[in-house]
Amino acid sequence: MSDEHGSVFDGLLGGDDSAQWAFGTGFEDPLAGVDTTTPGGVDPAELAAYCLMLGDDALIMSQRLSEWCSRAPDLEEDIALANIALDLLGQARLLLTRAAAADPDVLPRLPEGSPVPPEDALAFFRDERRFRNVWLAEVAGGDFAHVVVRLLLFSVARLALLERLRTSRDQVLAAVAGKGVKEVTYHRDWAGRWFLTLARGTGESRRRLLAALDALWPLQAETVAAHPLERALARAGVGVDPASAREEVDAVLGQVFAVSGVARPEPAQPSGIGGRTGRDGVHTEDLGRLLAEMQAVARAHPGGRW
Amino acid sequence: MTTIPMEPQQEERLRAAFDATVARHDRIEPRDWMPDAYRGTLVRQIAQHAHSEIIGMQPEGEWIGRAPSLRRKAILLAKVQDEAGHGLYLYSACETLGVSRAELTDLLLGGRQKYSSIFNYPTLSYADVGTIGWLVDGAAICNQVPLCRTSYGPYGRAMIRICKEESFHQRQGYELLMTMMRGTGEQRAMVQESVDRFWWPVLMMFGPPDAHSPNSERSMAWGIKRNSNDDLRQKFVDMTVPQAEALGVTLPDPELRWNEERGHHDFGEPDWEEFAAVIRGDGPCNAQRLAHRRAAHEEGAWVREAATAFAAATAQEGAR
Amino acid sequence: MSADRREWPLYEVFVRGKRGLNHVHVGSLHAPDDAMALRHARDVYTRRNEGVSIWVVRADAITASSPDEKDPLFAPNGDKIYRHPTFYEIPDDVPHM
Ligand SMILES: [Fe+2]
Ligand SMILES: [Fe+2]
């Protein structure tokens, strides 16, 4: 028995067989080996802002999904939701790191000699108005139907975008997209399958699904609305104009609605206030509360090491 | 499970075969004959273990939303997710004994089956995430490594898978504490406070002293349990002391010292009255933990029903 | 031993970690139907490793031998429900034939 104990505890300090961990828990520089120079003819500040848009979508969505941990309808779904949250968190880490590398000016001011790495400075020390995620990712959660509808709308749009981003002139974005396509394909699959199941399950599940769709549909338009910055970067061969993916998004959603026997909701106007949306840093009240929780410990210890 | 009535001699022969299998440290497998009391003890122990994994998601799950770095958030989420997997493996092992996960969940929610007392303590700072990994998962490993060779096959195999993952849990916890100890003075104080708070409850995880452990002896004879509570507790203390030194924290026990003669550390007695109170349901978080689990289970009922109804409907369509 | 009506059926999961190897039983899980069982198996047992082949089969579709068929005293249950997470113990390194 002593030898078996020995082997278990031996590894406590040494070795790093992190293959056991899900993606995103790695201890190394997430962008090691990828060419991080900004492609010619691209404004680094614009590239950074664009990375924040995609990164914040993933980060905030991941934060919302991880609220399900230990609360899902069954253990199998608990594990599935955590996997999706981990994938998106991994994407967020790469994209935030990319934003900081492209333009260090996006980093919030921290005390001299702060040990906080760039991805964490952006996640934990940036103020609400500098977050550029869509509202769909941030609004407070509801029941299981709510998470299914939100993830369906989110992942259909994100997959269409990542597929096009794989040919980006920016090496990092292309690499993130390549990896992300596989992940988000699975997310879309999970959400689509549950959408169908709830739509055709019981009267109760259908009622809840339609209620969630009602609540979230007005936020869908923002996921395919083109921000001027996105258009500019698309022209430079670095970003994707979401409008170019709109047809595909509509078609995929239409398919899911059709097999589920759900009428396609009327097209909604992009959400926002005075024409400004999440992409411009204008958010719902829910984001402030989300950030208050997410940033609490980090901000209490600005010189902390974790 | 259907039991066909048997002649007394037949049962005697089966029992002899069972005893011989256990005696030669061979495994009992699900369809083998086994004494009812063996089955009952296994169900109780495996279920309690499974419940502990699932309830154990909560104290750390509290901090996923507040993890102070993205890397820590990913590690913590992956870790808590592992615990769900552990619960799932163990419920499956229990199902080979003819008890369903739904029945076991009902027993847990009805307060008729227990889970580890340690999860009835709150997590009050991010250092607790590290301490739980280092000490709680560490104690669990101590308890569980011997169970990889337990006499019941499915249980042992589940434990092998679990132990592999637990050692990562312990490492991430220890690594978090090491990193915090290199941080600010505030962080170091946070680590020490957390270790102070968890040390005694962790020692209680090994169960009451052998003299007061009602089921231990029979479980050991059956090979369900492999080491006594006190032996494992001693082993854990001996292993932890040098780790605490390397970390730079003190363990809150004035009686803790090396005993040259025994070749082991002497240490103080945990507060067994507190232990009894927590087991009884009067710990700081008992009600909260069960309420959380019950809410998740009840709020998920309509989803499980919908999936069942959908599967039935599609199966029917397929048959037509 | 009819399944709890509130509960999804039990599936056994077999995984082939690499080309050239046999599928090996890794555990079990609950799912409402085959498609969902595959999805769950991917999440629970492979962490969604690409290139891994997974089989799932409903536990009640497995017909199992008794450990010692010749022993007339061993009373087989007669039904096919065989809840057994590690039925096939095949060493991981058995090469593809
Ligand atoms: Fe565990
Ligand atoms: Fe653990």
Side-chain angles (χ1 to χ4, degrees):
Chain A
M1 157 172 165
S2 58
D3 48 341
E4 279 177 63
H5 263 118
S7 67
V8 168
F9 284 91
D10 279 347
L12 192 53
L13 287 166
D16 180 21
D17 185 5
S18 48
Q20 288 278 329
W21 292 106
F23 174 72
T25 54
F27 298 0
E28 343 63 43
D29 172 8
L31 292 185
V34 180
D35 180 6
T36 57
T37 44
T38 302
V42 176
D43 176 359
E46 286 192 349
L47 176 60
Y50 184 65
C51 291
L52 287 180
M53 292 177 179
L54 301 186
D56 289 344
D57 281 352
L59 175 62
I60 301 302
M61 189 69 181
S62 171
Q63 179 81 2
R64 283 293 182 213
L65 287 168
S66 66
E67 290 170 357
W68 278 92
C69 189
S70 84
R71 289 184 168 82
D74 220 331
L75 292 178
E76 284 84 354
E77 297 310 332
D78 215 296
I79 293 172
L81 283 164
N83 268 339
I84 297 172
L86 277 166
D87 284 344
L88 290 172
L89 182 51
Q91 293 178 16
R93 292 184 64 189
L94 293 169
L95 288 162
L96 296 190
T97 303
R98 178 55 179 153
D103 179 15
D105 281 346
V106 294
L107 287 171
R109 297 270 161 270
L110 281 168
E112 196 68 36
S114 159
V116 177
E119 61 177 55
D120 292 334
L122 286 170
F124 299 103
F125 293 89
R126 198 163 29 129
D127 291 330
E128 182 187 336
R129 295 297 292 269
R130 296 189 176 277
F131 275 78
R132 288 175 166 271
N133 57 281
V134 293
W135 289 11
L136 179 67
E138 74 194 32
V139 291
D143 60 6
F144 189 75
H146 191 274
V147 74
V148 166
V149 173
R150 189 209 302 252
L151 194 62
L152 179 74
L153 301 181
F154 182 84
S155 56
V156 167
R158 191 169 180 87
L159 181 58
L161 188 141
L162 291 179
E163 275 169 347
R164 287 159 177 78
L165 196 61
R166 283 181 296 188
T167 51
S168 169
R169 284 172 57 222
D170 184 72
Q171 296 297 302
V172 180
L173 284 178
V176 171
K179 184 165 178 35
V181 162
K182 289 189 209 139
E183 295 168 346
V184 180
T185 301
Y186 171 79
H187 307 170
R188 188 181 76 170
D189 206 45
W190 183 92
R193 160 77 200 204
W194 268 112
F195 191 95
L196 171 65
T197 302
L198 297 183
R200 295 179 46 197
T202 62
E204 165 85 344
S205 68
R206 187 174 176 84
R207 183 186 66 70
R208 285 176 181 260
L209 183 80
L210 295 178
L213 185 59
D214 243 18
L216 289 167
W217 182 253
L219 306 183
Q220 191 270 341
E222 190 186 356
T223 64
V224 284
H227 188 272
L229 189 79
E230 290 174 296
R231 268 192 229 114
L233 281 165
R235 277 194 300 274
V238 166
V240 175
D241 181 349
S244 72
R246 187 171 204 139
E247 220 170 282
E248 181 185 324
V249 169
D250 283 349
V252 173
L253 287 177
Q255 229 177 331
V256 176
F257 292 144
V259 291
S260 306
V262 169
R264 176 189 263 289
E266 290 298 310
Q269 280 305 305
S271 41
I273 299 167
R276 289 187 307 157
T277 67
R279 294 278 183 244
D280 305 293
V282 174
H283 293 281
T284 65
E285 291 174 353
D286 291 348
L287 183 65
R289 280 189 286 267
L290 179 149
L291 293 179
E293 182 191 11
M294 186 174 95
Q295 299 181 334
V297 178
R299 287 199 180 214
H301 303 273
R305 286 175 198 277
W306 305 100
Chain B
M1 192 134 307
T2 345
T3 321
I4 296 170
M6 277 182 292
E7 302 292 318
Q9 322 88 281
Q10 291 178 330
E11 179 158 354
E12 227 163 83
R13 279 176 54 188
L14 288 169
R15 185 180 296 276
F18 170 85
D19 288 343
T21 306
V22 173
R24 52 169 200 273
H25 298 295
D26 214 341
R27 301 292 188 271
I28 301 296
E29 294 294 345
R31 276 167 63 104
D32 291 341
W33 182 91
M34 59 186 89
D36 284 347
Y38 175 84
R39 185 186 298 274
T41 304
L42 271 175
V43 168
R44 186 174 56 86
Q45 183 175 328
I46 301 174
Q48 182 165 323
H49 191 164
H51 299 328
S52 299
E53 300 284 357
I54 300 307
I55 297 285
M57 296 168 73
Q58 292 178 39
E60 287 182 284
E62 271 299 302
W63 291 90
I64 294 171
R66 286 175 286 172
S69 82
L70 296 183
R71 175 173 163 258
R72 286 293 166 200
K73 191 190 284 291
I75 289 175
L76 183 57
L77 182 53
K79 194 228 164 187
V80 176
Q81 181 196 40
D82 276 355
E83 306 299 5
H86 296 174
L88 195 150
Y89 308 154
L90 287 162
Y91 283 128
S92 300
C94 225
E95 289 185 88
T96 65
L97 294 160
V99 193
S100 75
R101 193 197 293 177
E103 289 171 77
L104 295 173
T105 303
D106 286 347
L107 288 170
L108 169 69
L109 296 180
R112 282 176 294 148
Q113 278 181 342
K114 307 272 182 212
Y115 54 88
S116 175
S117 56
I118 192 74
F119 301 121
N120 288 320
Y121 290 87
T123 46
L124 303 178
S125 77
Y126 204 77
D128 287 1
V129 169
T131 307
I132 288 179
W134 174 39
L135 295 180
V136 175
D137 287 285
I141 292 170
C142 252
N143 267 327
Q144 292 171 6
V145 165
L147 290 176
C148 295
R149 294 175 301 124
T150 192
S151 62
Y152 187 58
Y155 188 24
R157 290 188 286 272
M159 289 319 304
I160 290 172
R161 193 175 259 277
I162 290 171
C163 282
K164 224 166 125 187
E165 294 181 350
E166 289 298 351
S167 70
F168 285 89
H169 294 181
Q170 197 196 19
R171 264 173 50 183
Q172 65 82 30
Y174 194 75
E175 192 232 20
L176 168 61
L177 297 182
M178 277 198 320
T179 312
M180 290 179 70
M181 290 300 281
R182 286 198 301 264
T184 63
E186 254 181 329
Q187 285 186 295
R188 278 187 290 277
M190 207 194 284
V191 172
Q192 182 64 58
E193 189 275 333
S194 171
V195 170
D196 288 347
R197 202 157 21 83
F198 270 98
W199 176 248
W200 292 109
V202 164
L203 288 190
M204 296 178 200
M205 283 175 69
F206 296 93
D210 294 344
H212 303 283
S213 181
N215 302 312
S216 274
E217 217 175 299
R218 198 175 56 176
S219 288
M220 290 194 33
W222 275 336
I224 294 177
K225 205 169 153 163
R226 291 260 175 214
N227 303 79
S228 83
N229 296 351
D230 287 335
D231 285 354
L232 290 170
R233 192 167 10 247
Q234 178 72 62
K235 183 155 203 98
F236 175 74
V237 171
D238 288 342
M239 278 186 308
T240 306
V241 167
Q243 291 168 359
E245 268 163 29
L247 190 58
V249 296
T250 50
L251 298 173
D253 179 358
E255 293 173 48
L256 183 66
R257 65 179 57 84
W258 177 250
N259 182 327
E260 192 65 60
E261 215 171 290
R262 292 202 305 127
H264 289 293
H265 292 86
D266 291 339
F267 55 97
E269 199 66 33
D271 179 352
W272 293 114
E273 268 171 45
E274 177 180 313
F275 179 71
V278 175
I279 292 287
R280 250 197 336 267
D282 297 335
C285 301
N286 294 59
Q288 175 189 336
R289 299 289 184 240
L290 272 187
H292 179 112
R293 188 88 284 276
R294 185 175 298 117
H297 187 67
E298 285 170 4
E299 281 161 25
W302 69 270
V303 180
R304 295 191 297 273
E305 277 159 25
T308 305
F310 176 73
T314 24
Q316 223 166 38
E317 275 166 37
R320 267 205 298 268
Chain C
M1 206 151 111
S2 71
D4 191 308
R5 299 207 54 182
R6 294 163 302 158
E7 198 168 35
W8 295 337
L10 190 71
Y11 281 80
E12 300 299 336
V13 182
F14 300 78
V15 169
R16 182 182 67 202
K18 262 191 274 177
R19 285 173 186 283
L21 299 184
N22 283 320
H23 283 77
V24 176
H25 184 257
V26 293
S28 44
L29 48 75
H30 288 273
D33 57 31
D34 297 357
M36 211 61 132
L38 259 186
R39 240 163 270 249
H40 286 160
R42 204 159 157 242
D43 277 319
V44 173
Y45 288 104
T46 75
R47 284 282 176 95
R48 303 202 341 271
N49 254 333
E50 305 293 333
V52 170
S53 162
I54 304 172
W55 293 345
V56 293
V57 58
R58 271 181 73 142
D60 59 13
I62 295 178
T63 310
S65 72
S66 298
D68 190 356
E69 297 277 19
K70 290 192 197 82
D71 187 351
L73 298 180
F74 182 85
N77 289 339
D79 56 13
K80 285 197 301 179
I81 294 172
Y82 188 46
R83 299 179 148 182
H84 188 328
T86 36
F87 182 36
Y88 299 115
E89 264 203 295
I90 300 163
D92 290 347
D93 51 0
V94 174
H96 180 72
M97 295 187 26

